[in-house]
Amino acid sequence: MNGSSWSDWLACGLVVVAPVLPSRRGSSLAAGLGLGAVALAYGMGDAKEWLLPVAVGGLAAFVLGSRSKIRRILGAAMALGGAAATLVLGWALPQPVLPEWQGPHQVGTCRFEIPAEGVEPRLVAQAWYPTEAKGKFSRWLADQGLAPKFPFHHLAKAMVPIGVDAPLLATPQRFPVIFYEHSWTGHRAENVAQVSDLASRGFVVIAVDHPGQASRVRYVDGSVVTSELPGSPDFSTQAKVDEFLALGEKCFAARDRNLERTVRALNGDGDTVTRLTGRLDFQRMGIFGFSFGGSYALRLCATNPLFRAGANEDGLCFPGEDPRGPFLFFDSELPPWLGLAAVPGESAEETLVRQAEARLQAAMVGPARKRVVMNGVSHLGFSDAIFRSPWPRLSKTGKRPAKEVHERISRELGEFFEAALQGDGK
């Protein structure tokens, strides 16, 4: 439970033991005070909400712990119930743990800002890269304001073995670059498990928070810009679908400009990212993204020849998206009706999905294309949301275990980009 610390288990143990201690007032008092001290001490930590039931149960055991048999039984029941509730909450909603990487290297990270340019806003970006040094544990989310809502808010306190500002791996070769594109109102750290796994394989992965599209962009001076997009696109009518597609095109255009500025900064323009300057191979660039970010990755691989390969994680295929080079498609479990012929009266959303599927099938005709359909995995299963709970249904990521899903996605991504981008660096 949130790291299964000794204080968690000790607090629960005290509550379980307290009711069966001799019924003398002194024993009950000692048990109650001991529990209270432990609960209070750990209650200042990350899991204080999950300790509330065990603390209440312990207090009840102390208050009701007299010579009255009925009161002792009631106190024991409340104590045991509180302990059980804390154990269940701690197991079902633990603090997430980053899975082990499949590559041979340790991973470092650095954050950087790109100054405003004319009407274009400041950009916040982050790089993950291979390093020799075993990193100190750092926050999973550098911006605590990006933590999901209760009861998954403990992601704000989760730690990962990624070294902040660690030195880049010493090698004469330059590193291939992969851009990660966040979802509709997502953020650059929504897929730390996948980007860090790619970094462990020898890639430098760059993620940019797109102002006005990302859920929250926090600059080094403390100012914050939130998303201007609707939280969930409305596909209820064809007119709403057309509005979404038009807005999506505007978002694509803004991302084009942001990535062009980011590539220039990484290439030494303005001395923004000196740690990486001269170490990256821009002739070997790829891109992937989740949801709308995957849709953009597909679009960029169709329009920008600098990006040699890409992957789309469960994003719609917009019109005009036919990638030039190798491309990997991931999809969540497909609805049964998608394999059947269209029927009169289908909803606007179903028509949109059916059209996107037709575009994907057309793109699969090209060389070096692969599609991976993840049965038993829902849309959120392609993001770090899969680590929020050992119960996939509770985290709304499908029905397959997080470890199994993450290992499959990371293996497919890693092998795909290794084949498409890695080789002798210049």
Side-chain angles (χ1 to χ4, degrees):
M1 59 178 72
N2 287 352
S4 300
S5 74
W6 64 269
S7 50
D8 286 326
W9 298 108
L10 180 58
C12 292
L14 281 172
V15 172
V16 173
V17 170
V20 298
L21 289 174
S23 60
R24 294 191 303 274
R25 192 67 172 174
S27 297
S28 296
L29 177 62
L33 291 176
L35 169 68
V38 173
L40 180 62
Y42 194 73
M44 300 303 292
D46 300 338
K48 55 182 179 296
E49 295 90 348
W50 304 163
L51 280 176
L52 183 59
V54 74
V56 170
L59 180 61
F62 166 62
V63 172
L64 299 175
S66 68
R67 296 181 182 278
S68 168
K69 183 177 181 180
I70 294 179
R71 295 182 68 182
R72 287 201 306 274
I73 292 174
L74 181 59
M78 293 185 70
L80 290 171
T86 289
L87 287 169
V88 169
L89 286 169
W91 183 84
L93 297 165
Q95 193 171 84
V97 177
L98 194 72
E100 292 185 4
W101 302 307
Q102 298 178 21
H105 305 296
Q106 298 297 321
V107 178
T109 188
C110 66
R111 175 188 181 280
F112 56 95
E113 288 190 13
I114 299 171
E117 187 175 298
V119 297
E120 301 297 334
R122 289 182 293 166
L123 300 176
V124 176
Q126 188 167 351
W128 291 265
Y129 48 84
T131 182
E132 294 177 347
K134 188 172 183 179
K136 297 180 180 179
F137 275 64
S138 54
R139 294 290 185 190
W140 193 313
L141 295 176
D143 181 359
Q144 305 301 286
L146 292 172
K149 296 180 180 179
F150 181 90
F152 304 116
H153 58 298
H154 292 307
L155 185 62
K157 302 293 185 181
M159 307 297 288
V160 292
I162 299 176
V164 176
D165 294 330
L168 192 61
L169 184 70
T171 173
Q173 297 179 335
R174 290 189 286 174
F175 296 92
V177 182
I178 299 174
F179 279 85
Y180 174 77
E181 284 294 307
H182 65 70
S183 55
W184 180 250
T185 53
H187 54 84
R188 69 181 191 276
E190 68 188 8
N191 239 332
V192 171
Q194 290 179 21
V195 299
S196 60
D197 186 83
L198 285 169
S200 77
R201 294 171 179 265
F203 297 99
V204 172
V205 185
I206 310 293
V208 180
D209 279 332
H210 297 286
Q213 299 183 42
S215 58
R216 171 185 165 99
V217 182
R218 186 178 187 276
Y219 297 98
V220 69
D221 62 8
S223 59
V224 173
V225 173
T226 56
S227 177
E228 299 171 359
L229 301 177
S232 297
D234 184 355
F235 301 139
S236 59
T237 66
Q238 187 58 48
K240 293 294 184 182
V241 169
D242 292 341
E243 288 178 11
F244 164 73
L245 293 175
L247 180 57
E249 293 294 337
K250 292 181 180 179
C251 291
F252 285 169
R255 292 189 183 213
D256 281 343
R257 297 191 298 271
N258 293 343
L259 257 63
E260 191 272 334
R261 292 170 56 205
T262 303
V263 170
R264 284 196 281 112
L266 291 168
N267 208 15
D269 184 8
D271 294 328
T272 302
V273 204
T274 54
R275 178 177 285 99
L276 304 178
T277 301
R279 305 294 309 280
L280 308 180
D281 187 349
F282 295 102
Q283 301 303 311
R284 295 185 293 158
M285 285 203 299
I287 186 169
F288 80 107
F290 164 56
S291 193
F292 185 74
S295 301
Y296 176 65
L298 183 55
R299 169 62 62 85
L300 199 65
C301 285
T303 59
N304 191 330
L306 292 177
F307 290 85
R308 289 172 41 179
N312 176 357
E313 295 188 338
D314 212 35
L316 287 170
C317 295
F318 275 61
E321 294 185 341
D322 187 7
R324 299 166 182 262
F327 206 88
L328 174 62
F329 294 92
F330 283 102
D331 287 285
S332 55
E333 187 165 356
L334 301 177
W337 58 263
L338 192 57
L340 305 175
V343 297
E346 280 193 340
S347 68
E349 182 173 3
E350 289 172 334
T351 300
L352 173 66
V353 173
R354 193 178 291 280
Q355 291 172 343
E357 174 68 13
R359 297 183 193 109
L360 190 155
Q361 293 292 345
M364 287 295 295
V365 176
R369 308 292 162 81
K370 183 176 182 179
R371 186 181 194 184
V372 178
V373 178
M374 302 288 290
N375 291 323
V377 178
S378 66
H379 187 61
L380 286 176
F382 292 92
S383 71
D384 284 344
I386 202 166
F387 303 112
R388 293 177 182 177
S389 172
W391 292 349
R393 295 185 187 277
L394 186 61
S395 57
K396 298 181 180 179
T397 57
K399 56 187 179 183
R400 292 171 62 179
K403 184 176 185 294
E404 174 189 333
V405 173
H406 170 73
E407 286 182 352
R408 173 73 187 282
I409 294 173
S410 293
R411 184 178 70 254
E412 294 282 358
L413 273 176
E415 292 176 355
F416 170 78
F417 280 119
E418 284 171 350
L421 300 179
Q422 282 189 337
D424 291 335
K426 295 181 179 180

